[in-house]
């Protein structure tokens, strides 16, 4: 009875006076932990994958990365927390105190109190080896694992940041984002290199088709953007496009991403060129501001000398030159951009990449389009396109930018297959 009374008294005391409780451990991303300036023993939990292990007699050192930054967080622990499962590639959860590091290489480190292995990694069978700088060609064999390397991690973080920067540019400049369809009955490019889409199960009638017209994976959102520019003036889209090109070159993919814009009331190529240049520079400056370490890694280990070329591109205006002059510049691997006007169209050519932008003023004259469609026998199929010129037509133009080629340009990556998470090309559709 006496014991019960004492327990009851203790509970009452806790209800009136706060009793000490274990400190809650807040989850923290590696990037955020590294940014802490005055670490004073905060209790935090970090989750990620082991990038290095160094075990000494009394101290265990780990470097853990969760993909949020190029730099890993150093974990310092008592050697009693060591285990055979703590290997390169293993996933872990580490709880401890974030303290100021005694090393000059990093500002903070995590003094571990508990290390839990979430998933072990068999180091001998793991295709990615510790301290080895694998060639990008080798890593293409493992699209499901290559994102765990420093090189691909940096490229994909830059890709993510560039995506956000492009959307930010268009939003800040009053463009409306349009989700153009992936399935279409149009062949915008007219090249015939299309993927035709059919259902896997057969339709009841032998002469029937799912859409009643041939359907394809889109090669461009231009025609749909032209529709929308007649209502919103400035529009853009950013999504996947497809080309059934029988090519395995370093510049071509069967599936890639395109940034496309269409602008009403535009009457000169100069107006289009200004938007192209602003888009490129604004996007690149944001990437350099938010991902400096990732860009630096690419410039240092993948494309030596690209940093200077990129700085030159950002400081200088784009050049307007003839097509012949542009080809000669590309042959000489010049550092300059080259705009090549072709009638009412213009291309932006970049050494080592080729065509980055392509744009043109659209034909808005009804009778001219009507005659061309009639000669091609396409009047019925494209009557809707004539309607755009018939009802409130305005001069307009637009352009497209290959997103993967943009990444090649700013990072200096030679092969386009290394700047997209899962490359699709002839004879290859892994995962």
């Amino acid at each position: 009875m006496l014991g019960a009374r004492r327990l009851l008294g203790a509970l009452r005391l806790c209800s009136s006076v706060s009793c000490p409780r274990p400190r809650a451990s807040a989850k923290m991303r590696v990037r955020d932990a590294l940014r802490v300036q005055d670490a004073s023993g905060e209790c935090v939990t970090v989750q990620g994958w082991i990038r290095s292990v160094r075990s000494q007699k009394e101290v265990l050192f780990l470097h853990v990365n969760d993909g949020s930054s190029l730099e890993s967080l150093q974990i310092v622990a008592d050697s009693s927390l060591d285990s055979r499962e703590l290997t390169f590639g293993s996933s872990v959860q580490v709880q401890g105190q974030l303290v100021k590091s005694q090393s000059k290489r990093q500002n903070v480190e995590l003094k571990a109190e508990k290390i839990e292995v979430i998933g072990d990694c068999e180091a001998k069978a793991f295709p990615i080896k510790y301290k080895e700088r694998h060639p990008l060609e080798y890593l293409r064999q493992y699209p499901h694992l290559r994102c765990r390397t420093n090189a691909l991690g940096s490229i994909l973080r830059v890709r993510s940041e560039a995506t956000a920067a492009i959307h930010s540019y268009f939003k800040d400049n009053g463009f409306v984002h349009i989700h153009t369809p992936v399935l279409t009955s149009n062949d915008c490019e007219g090249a015939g290199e299309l993927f035709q889409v059919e259902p896997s199960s057969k339709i009841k009638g032998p002469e029937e088709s799912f859409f009643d017209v041939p359907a394809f994976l889109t090669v461009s959102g231009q025609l749909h953007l032209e529709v929308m520019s007649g209502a919103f003036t400035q529009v853009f889209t950013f999504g996947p496009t497809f080309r059934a090109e029988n090519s395995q070159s370093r510049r071509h993919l069967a599936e890639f991403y395109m940034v496309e814009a269409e602008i009403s009331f535009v009457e000169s190529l100069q107006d289009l060129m200004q938007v192209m240049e602003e888009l490129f520079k604004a996007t690149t400056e944001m990437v350099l501001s938010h991902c400096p370490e990732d860009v630096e890694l690419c410039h240092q280990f993948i494309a030596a000398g690209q940093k200077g070329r990129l700085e030159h591109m950002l400081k200088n205006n784009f050049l307007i030159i003839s097509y012949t002059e542009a080809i000669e510049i590309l042959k000489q691997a010049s550092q300059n951009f080259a705009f090549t006007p072709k009638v009412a169209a213009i291309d932006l050519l970049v050494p080592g990449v080729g065509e980055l932008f392509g744009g043109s003023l659209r034909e808005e004259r009804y009778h001219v389009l009507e005659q061309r469609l009639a000669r091609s026998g396409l009047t019925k199929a494209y009557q809707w396109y004539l309607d755009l010129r018939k009802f409130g037509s305005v001069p307009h133009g637009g352009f497209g930018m290959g997103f993967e080629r943009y990444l090649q340009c700013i990072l200096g990556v030679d092969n386009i297959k290394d700047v997209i998470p899962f490359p699709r090309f002839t004879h290859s559709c892994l995962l």
Side-chain angles (χ1 to χ4, degrees), residues 334-345:
S334 167
Q335 295 180 348
N336 297 327
F337 281 103
F339 268 121
T340 62
K342 297 184 293 184
V343 192

Side-chain angles (χ1 to χ4, degrees), residues 390-410:
K390 187 176 181 179
F391 305 112
S393 179
V394 298
H396 62 286
F399 63 85
M401 180 185 77
F403 185 51
E404 283 73 27
R405 289 190 178 184
Y406 165 77
L407 295 172
Q408 282 186 277
C409 174
I410 67 169

